[in-house]
Amino acid sequence: MRIEIRHLKYFIAVAEECHFGRAAERLNISQPPLSQQIQALEVEVGARLLERNNRNVSLTQAGELFLKECYEIVDHLSQAAENAARAHRGELGNLKIGFTSSAPFISLVASSLFIFRQRYPLVHMQMREVNTKQQIEPLLEGKLDIGVMRNTRLPDTLTHQLLLREPLVAVLHQNHPLAASGREKLKFSDLANQPFVFFSREVGTALHDEILTLLKNAGITPYITQEVGEAMTIVGLVSAGLGVSILPASFTRIKVDGVCYRYLDEETAFTEVWLAYSKTRPLSAQATALINLMIAQP
């Protein structure tokens, strides 16, 4: 069947105007070709769609049924075209985001996701909480579009943009002498001989390697007495008085009874937050929109 969308639009115009002359004027074509196209359409359909006389044009029963279907087809095509255009602009589709456990507590990340949700309500954001090193394989395989992660060594096929540098803080029980001293900032050396609650190496977080390297460069080997898998567990064990720790400042937004935080007076006491993605796989419009939004946040 050789029916084109233009044939359906021609038929709709004639059906609505009930007049070939007015329909031709509306379509900005001459009347004879319009009549020929309608006749050709009727041949293709295999039914008479219009009753014609010298004054009037009216729909046959077959024409009434066909008109209803024409409306649905044209509307569906228009919606399909609009959806494609919106997807191209990043307003539709899926976006798969990996994020570390601290990411939702970073104001810039949380506010960017909120703004993106308001601007692009039809984009389905699939959020996956995984630590930095666990994001690498899904990013390589295309199972994640963007990774919000800590600084780490990346394979050659991944790249990143720096989102922010976040200070590190000491995590203390409120009754700890360092907390009660009244000092607003501490040094790495203040924590040297303290029982330390920290990430287990097996968990594979980037913070494990990064913070231990910072302490090592300061000549400190922490006395680790408790090893756990999650930052929230670290905060919980500190609240139980089982030791001290070091975490990114975003965790200061977590208020736990018995826990206080002190910034570190050290030039190297910060960690970077990255937006990581594939070098070899083109970014979707949705991913590009979110990255641009995050980078533009003050």
Side-chain angles (χ1 to χ4, degrees), residues 75-97:
D75 287 346
H76 183 75
L77 179 63
S78 297
Q79 187 61 54
E82 175 62 17
N83 287 344
R86 297 184 72 177
H88 178 72
R89 297 192 298 266
E91 298 172 7
L92 285 176
N94 297 308
L95 183 56
K96 297 168 289 186
I97 306 168

Side-chain angles (χ1 to χ4, degrees), residues 28-246:
N28 198 29
I29 61 176
S30 60
Q31 182 173 334
L34 175 60
S35 298
Q36 293 171 5
Q37 292 293 333
I38 295 299
Q39 291 173 0
L41 176 63
E42 289 177 319
V43 171
E44 289 293 334
V45 171
R48 191 170 184 83
L49 303 174
L50 298 168
E51 294 290 355
R52 307 163 176 82
N53 58 41
N54 292 335
R55 294 185 177 180
N56 298 313
V57 175
S58 60
L59 290 168
T60 64
Q61 184 177 8
E64 290 177 355
L65 293 174
F66 189 67
L67 179 62
K68 179 181 177 182
E69 297 291 340
C70 286
Y71 281 138
E72 293 181 1
I73 292 170
V74 172
D75 287 346
H76 183 75
L77 179 63
S78 297
Q79 187 61 54
E82 175 62 17
N83 287 344
R86 297 184 72 177
H88 178 72
R89 297 192 298 266
E91 298 172 7
L92 285 176
N94 297 308
L95 183 56
K96 297 168 289 186
I97 306 168
F99 64 98
T100 62
S101 60
S102 62
F105 300 107
I106 299 172
S107 296
L108 185 151
V109 174
S111 62
S112 295
L113 291 174
F114 179 81
I115 294 170
F116 186 86
R117 178 77 288 160
Q118 304 308 305
R119 290 184 183 176
Y120 308 107
L122 298 181
V123 173
H124 173 61
M125 288 193 293
Q126 182 180 346
M127 307 294 294
R128 181 179 172 187
E129 182 185 349
V130 280
N131 69 45
T132 291
K133 293 184 179 180
Q134 292 171 340
Q135 291 184 39
I136 292 175
E137 196 66 28
L139 285 168
L140 291 171
E141 296 174 352
K143 294 179 180 178
L144 291 176
D145 299 309
I146 306 172
V148 183
M149 60 169 61
R150 300 285 170 179
N151 44 298
T152 190
R153 179 174 296 178
L154 294 176
D156 292 340
T157 52
L158 295 182
T159 188
H160 76 278
Q161 291 193 52
L162 174 65
L163 188 57
L164 74 150
R165 288 186 173 91
E166 183 181 13
L168 295 172
V169 296
V171 189
L172 310 167
H173 192 278
Q174 65 182 10
N175 294 330
H176 192 284
L178 289 172
S181 68
R183 294 166 58 189
E184 293 184 0
K185 292 187 177 182
L186 302 177
K187 305 290 287 186
F188 283 144
S189 57
D190 293 320
L191 307 176
N193 298 314
Q194 302 294 325
F196 213 77
V197 183
F198 204 50
F199 297 103
S200 168
R201 181 180 296 277
E202 286 70 29
V203 175
T205 67
L207 283 173
H208 176 279
D209 297 342
E210 183 178 8
I211 292 175
L212 289 187
T213 298
L214 291 176
L215 292 173
K216 180 180 179 181
N217 292 340
I220 298 169
T221 301
Y223 173 45
I224 299 175
T225 59
Q226 308 289 334
E227 292 186 316
V228 299
E230 298 291 339
M232 284 297 296
T233 308
I234 290 176
V235 176
L237 293 182
V238 171
S239 75
L242 296 183
V244 303
S245 193
I246 296 175

